[in-house]
Amino acid sequence: MKETRIEPKLATVLREGYSWSLFSRDLVAGILVGIVALPLSIALAIASGVKPEQGLFTAVIAGFLISALSGSRVQIGGPTGAFIVLVYNTMHQFGYGGLAVATMLAGVLLLVMGLMRFGAVIKFIPYPLTVGFTCGIAILIAVTQVRDLLGLEMPAPPAEFIEKLVAYAEHLGSINPHACGLAALAFAIILLWPRVTRRVPGSLVAILVLTPLAAWLQWPVETIGSRFGSVPTMLPAPALPDIDWAQLPKLFQPALAIALLGGIESLLSAVVADGMTGRRHRSNTELVAQGVANIASPLFGGIPATGAIARTATNIRNGGQTPIAGMIHAVTLLAIMMAFGRWAVLIPMPILAAILLKVAFDMGEWHLLWRLLRAQRGDVLVMVSTFLLTIFVDLAIAIQSGVVLAAFLFMYRMAESTQVGFVTDTLSEDEESGDPNAIQRRTVPAGVEVFEIYGPFFFGAADRFKDEMRRIEKPPKVLILRMRHVPTIDATGMQALEDLFKKCRKQGTALLLSGVQAQPWEQLESSGLYRRLGPLNVHDHIDRALDRARELVAPSAVPR
């Protein structure tokens, strides 16, 4: 069913009636998701190259707006692992001011896409492309944590993948055993804690248990405080970011990548939520919500945000029923930041690195990567090229190149599926497969050639059509073009028909069209070709076209 309205699910819930029973379930789920989001928001911000509190600001502001305006009842928004590489590279190249402007531009793009009803279009991003950049991002996230996992004494590593590996290799002599041990303990807790309970995240348990332990034993490991200083306990006042107008044209590429990635991730999260709840989200409304959230987030010092699949699933599993659960999650984070934010400076960096290593592990769809490697060569090409470009070049370029490559692959396959030829020659075997309308079941008058097109007649198939038409050595008296299997025709296909009509008229050949469907018929009329051909030469069935052909090849016939 086509989505015709843009209305937040919150408005639908309030119109239907919101009860205390629903609120109690939303309250529990919102608080638990807020607790889950706390360590993730800090870790994701640090991995993205920004301050830890900026992850919290994003989760509070963007998370509240995404839930309040969402097209899904249970969507939880905030910073996600998918943005780490993109944000890190943009920060490295343009600084936070450039990142803020790019994020706001991406928000505007998402807003426009939602208002223009592009939600369904983003759903058509091919799966090999998604798997390619997702697995690439997962590897990059894991690699960015090597410094903190091993406790290497080195400056901030470069943004480029190869240079980063070289920098790590040069500083391997400075490995800190305490950092390695702390990271290993944290990773073990994160992996094993779900066997105890899933209500409290293992990442939070690792922080609460190991942070005091490291402080008590006075292990020489880097902490949030030693690297970033104090963590604010209040939201900053909203302010416009500094805009370097000379950089603005360069920011459109990362802005487009943020918008595409944010749109894909949010709608994917909404689809997962639909599968868990049995409800349906409003994709265009969801894009509008993401757009507003990404416009607002940088005003408070935040970073890009989108729907978070893991946190959304946690919300559902803990009883979240309406968008109010997501709003409570944002309020919970704000309350925790205000009450306990000053203690965040004690969190060791190896623990956060272990949390992000688990994020990378969960993010990479490795089983799909291996399965798709055995798929068609075109799908493998899209996936592998996107994967490699994500790792070795840039995520923004990888997404855009992958979309273009996938589009070309689709057009190639569509062109290959469109068959063109004379039914007495290349297509004769297909016509003999029991089709009651096959031309072999009819008598074709002498001097008449029948040509058929199977499939969409668009620019990808136009050249094949022209090549086949050049095979005509001696112009026939009548050429019947069967179009019963042509559901659509584009401007290039219409131009090919125009050229054929002119060539036939020059050679004295009468051109007849048969089996014209609705969309091609509209194009014939709007282009004026129907009028030039004449109503007597355009037919809905091959039998009437053959009758007309007999009239034209009769000895006394005068072409009209």
Side-chain angles (χ1 to χ4, degrees):
M1 184 169 55
K2 185 178 180 180
E3 182 183 332
T4 58
R5 59 176 176 167
I6 295 179
E7 179 185 85
K9 286 287 186 175
L10 178 61
T12 304
V13 167
L14 295 177
R15 187 172 59 249
E16 292 173 351
Y18 189 68
S19 65
W20 281 107
S21 174
L22 283 175
F23 176 74
S24 63
R25 282 179 279 181
D26 286 341
L27 179 64
V28 172
I31 292 174
L32 290 173
V33 176
I35 294 172
V36 170
L38 176 67
L40 284 176
S41 300
I42 294 173
L44 292 169
I46 293 173
S48 300
V50 298
K51 298 178 180 179
E53 63 266 23
Q54 290 180 275
L56 294 173
F57 298 160
T58 305
V60 171
I61 300 298
F64 186 90
L65 290 172
I66 286 173
S67 292
L69 303 175
S70 178
S72 168
R73 288 177 180 252
V74 290
Q75 181 82 284
I76 302 294
T80 66
F83 280 129
I84 287 178
V85 177
L86 192 52
V87 172
Y88 187 91
N89 290 340
T90 306
M91 273 286 297
H92 186 267
Q93 188 173 359
F94 301 105
Y96 178 72
L99 172 65
V101 173
T103 303
M104 296 181 76
L105 287 174
V108 172
L109 289 174
L110 285 164
L111 189 61
V112 170
M113 285 191 286
L115 294 175
M116 296 293 290
R117 309 298 199 273
F118 282 0
V121 175
I122 290 184
K123 293 179 182 178
F124 295 130
I125 298 293
Y127 207 56
L129 172 63
T130 304
V131 172
F133 74 68
T134 301
C135 291
I137 291 171
I139 288 179
L140 290 176
I141 292 174
V143 169
T144 58
Q145 301 313 302
V146 171
R147 173 194 180 191
D148 292 328
L149 285 169
L150 302 180
L152 301 179
E153 295 181 8
M154 60 180 293
E160 294 76 16
F161 181 75
I162 298 298
E163 286 80 350
K164 198 187 302 287
L165 295 180
V166 171
Y168 290 150
E170 292 174 349
H171 293 84
L172 278 179
S174 62
I175 289 179
N176 184 340
H178 295 90
C180 294
L182 196 59
L185 285 173
F187 196 71
I189 291 174
I190 294 168
L191 285 179
L192 299 175
W193 184 255
R195 298 183 181 182
V196 179
T197 179
R198 292 184 177 273
R199 284 188 169 270
V200 180
S203 56
L204 182 63
V205 174
I207 289 175
L208 293 178
V209 171
L210 298 179
T211 297
L213 178 65
W216 178 55
L217 295 175
Q218 297 184 348
W219 282 356
V221 294
E222 195 170 14
T223 64
I224 289 178
S226 64
R227 182 177 296 182
F228 299 99
S230 61
V231 176
T233 57
M234 288 292 293
L235 287 174
L240 285 171
D242 294 329
I243 300 176
D244 184 350
W245 297 102
Q247 283 187 344
L248 198 58
K250 300 177 183 178
L251 293 173
F252 277 101
Q253 180 172 314
L256 179 60
I258 292 171
L260 287 174
L261 187 56
I264 293 169
E265 285 288 308
S266 64
L267 294 181
L268 181 59
S269 177
V271 169
V272 170
D274 288 349
M276 296 178 69
T277 63
R279 295 183 177 274
R280 292 188 61 183
H281 73 281
R282 297 172 185 149
S283 56
N284 295 315
T285 304
E286 186 62 37
L287 290 181
V288 169
Q290 300 295 331
V292 173
N294 280 284
I295 292 172
S297 178
L299 298 178
F300 293 86
I303 58 178
T306 186
I309 297 175
R311 275 160 274 172
T312 298
T314 302
N315 180 37
I316 296 169
R317 283 196 294 264
N318 285 284
Q321 300 289 311
T322 76
I324 292 176
M327 297 161 69
I328 291 173
H329 129 271
V331 174
T332 300
L333 271 174
L334 178 60
I336 294 174
M337 183 178 71
M338 294 173 64
F340 305 104
R342 63 183 181 275
W343 301 107
V345 296
L346 299 176
I347 300 174
M349 298 302 296
I351 299 177
L352 296 178
I355 292 172
L356 287 168
L357 190 63
K358 181 62 164 59
V359 169
F361 180 78
D362 293 339
M363 188 177 183
E365 299 180 273
W366 312 111
H367 63 292
L368 294 175
L369 181 70
W370 294 116
R371 184 190 305 168
L372 285 172
L373 283 174
R374 298 189 293 271
Q376 297 183 47
R377 283 179 296 178
D379 291 330
V380 174
L381 176 63
V382 171
M383 184 186 67
V384 172
S385 61
T386 306
F387 176 75
L388 295 177
L389 285 171
T390 299
I391 293 176
F392 294 105
V393 183
D394 183 77
L395 178 60
I397 293 174
I399 293 175
Q400 294 165 32
S401 300
V403 169
V404 172
L405 185 59
F408 276 117
L409 177 62
F410 171 77
M411 289 185 287
Y412 171 77
R413 287 174 173 170
M414 289 293 291
E416 287 295 301
S417 68
T418 302
Q419 300 181 50
V420 293
F422 291 94
V423 294
T424 53
D425 184 7
T426 58
L427 298 181
S428 59
E429 293 183 1
D430 295 332
E431 289 286 5
E432 292 174 352
S433 59
D435 182 2
N437 291 316
I439 200 66
Q440 282 76 16
R441 297 174 181 269
R442 287 155 176 79
T443 301
V444 179
V448 177
E449 290 282 3
V450 182
F451 190 91
E452 181 143 16
I453 306 174
Y454 282 80
F457 192 19
F458 71 119
F459 61 90
D463 281 341
R464 297 181 65 190
F465 173 77
K466 292 177 181 179
D467 289 341
E468 285 292 328
M469 296 311 300
R470 293 190 188 102
R471 293 177 54 208
I472 301 178
E473 297 179 358
K474 181 181 179 182
K477 292 183 179 180
V478 178
L479 175 61
I480 299 177
L481 183 60
R482 297 193 77 180
M483 300 177 65
R484 57 179 178 150
H485 295 299
V486 180
T488 60
I489 185 170
D490 71 352
T492 308
M494 283 302 305
Q495 185 59 48
L497 288 184
E498 291 272 4
D499 294 342
L500 177 62
F501 172 70
K502 293 175 183 177
K503 180 180 179 181
C504 288
R505 187 167 58 179
K506 183 178 180 181
Q507 294 175 341
T509 298
L511 176 62
L512 308 183
L513 303 185
S514 165
V516 182
Q517 298 189 38
Q519 192 272 351
W521 195 294
E522 291 176 1
Q523 294 299 311
L524 287 172
E525 289 185 321
S526 62
S527 67
L529 183 57
Y530 176 78
R531 176 181 52 80
R532 292 192 296 277
L533 282 168
L536 294 176
N537 295 330
V538 181
H539 303 273
D540 59 357
H541 196 275
I542 186 61
D543 289 338
R544 282 178 277 280
L546 287 171
D547 290 341
R548 172 61 176 163
R550 292 186 186 95
E551 294 177 9
L552 293 173
V553 297
S556 59
V558 178
R560 287 180 285 174

